[in-house]
Amino acid sequence: LVIMAFDNLSNMDEMSWKLIQLFWDHGMNVMVIGASRPVTSQELHMDKKFWSYLHNEGIDSGRFVKMTLSPMKESDVDLLVAKKLGHKDSKIDPKLSRDVYVQSGGMPHLASAILHELYKNDLLEKSENGVLGWRQDLDGAREEAPEKEDKLEVGNIGELVLHRMDALPSSVRAHLNLGAILGSSFELIEVVTVFERYRGIQNEDKRKHAKAVHES
């Protein structure tokens, strides 16, 4: 059995969907697992006839199974917080669990990422009765020094993501910047042009470098 897993199917192009259809029509002992946002919020770039076939003959034959995954309940996030931090749920401050639930929207990956950043940035502490929660000095410190942009803003997922980005090596951040500029579709010469700025490639050498990259 070969299992193929695809994430963000909502971003998959039409030709990739045709490849999936070939697996469906001719594959043997192949299981395809895909995840996407609700199709009501983002349309899939696939053949409408194939989509209709999946939801009719595909479901009737048992070959196609559609599942809707909902966010975790607040009680589930409470258990996740306790397990991730290595404490009993009774020893976790309800305010901490509530903040993680609200900021993550009940998404397990986001909740785990938030807890990782909180622990790494030393934003948690145990109270005298052994309950783990926010550091008691955080609210006061934030009120006294709101202008400090390098401080991690408590309970703000945007700030958490930015801090994770800032922690990346400069070379990785440079490549992320290039990816943001180029987008998902670009010509090879555009890559060479961008790297010209970084590495000082002369104008007349552009084609030569493009050819070398292509041949490699």
Side-chain angles (χ1 to χ4, degrees):
L1 176 66
V2 176
I3 300 177
M4 306 178 69
F6 299 92
D7 195 8
N8 294 325
L9 289 179
S10 51
N11 296 327
M12 185 177 287
D13 59 35
E14 187 176 353
M15 293 305 294
S16 298
W17 272 112
K18 288 184 177 180
L19 184 61
I20 297 294
Q21 187 170 352
L22 286 174
F23 285 130
W24 175 274
D25 293 336
H26 305 290
M28 299 290 292
N29 294 323
V30 176
M31 175 184 289
V32 178
I33 302 174
S36 76
R37 297 176 182 275
V39 293
T40 53
S41 64
Q42 192 167 357
E43 187 177 356
L44 300 178
H45 305 290
M46 65 183 301
D47 181 46
K48 289 182 171 57
K49 290 183 179 179
F50 182 50
W51 179 253
S52 176
Y53 178 83
L54 289 177
H55 283 76
N56 292 285
E57 289 88 341
I59 290 179
D60 292 340
S61 65
R63 292 184 63 196
F64 179 72
V65 178
K66 183 179 179 180
M67 294 184 293
T68 301
L69 301 180
S70 302
M72 297 175 69
K73 299 177 181 177
E74 187 169 355
S75 58
D76 296 327
V77 174
D78 293 343
L79 294 175
L80 174 65
V81 172
K83 186 173 182 62
K84 190 76 175 177
L85 298 177
H87 289 67
K88 295 181 179 179
D89 54 338
S90 60
K91 292 296 183 179
I92 300 294
D93 187 344
K95 186 179 185 307
L96 171 62
S97 298
R98 175 65 181 173
D99 288 342
V100 172
Y101 172 72
V102 171
Q103 287 299 322
S104 67
M107 302 296 288
H109 177 72
L110 288 181
S112 296
I114 290 172
L115 292 169
H116 175 76
E117 293 300 315
L118 296 180
Y119 182 81
K120 188 175 73 173
N121 287 276
D122 194 27
L123 300 180
L124 306 174
E125 70 175 5
K126 275 187 180 181
S127 63
E128 293 181 356
N129 58 0
V131 174
L132 186 67
W134 295 110
R135 258 188 20 221
Q136 294 183 1
D137 63 321
L138 283 177
D139 290 336
R142 290 171 65 198
E143 292 175 2
E144 293 173 8
E147 72 284 355
K148 290 188 178 181
E149 297 182 357
D150 60 330
K151 295 292 286 182
L152 183 64
E153 186 175 344
V154 178
N156 187 316
I157 185 61
E159 289 294 320
L160 292 173
V161 172
L162 288 176
H163 270 71
R164 296 192 74 175
M165 295 283 287
D166 290 340
L168 294 172
S170 59
S171 60
V172 175
R173 280 182 280 146
H175 283 82
L176 288 174
N177 287 334
L178 291 178
I181 294 169
L182 294 171
S184 59
S185 178
F186 50 84
E187 298 292 334
L188 178 60
I189 193 65
E190 293 174 333
V191 178
V192 176
T193 300
V194 171
F195 270 92
E196 175 191 12
R197 303 286 182 178
Y198 281 87
R199 301 188 177 181
I201 299 174
Q202 298 302 313
N203 233 13
E204 57 271 16
D205 292 333
K206 245 189 244 182
R207 296 285 176 184
K208 182 177 69 176
H209 281 274
K211 183 179 179 181
V213 172
H214 178 71
E215 291 176 349
S216 63

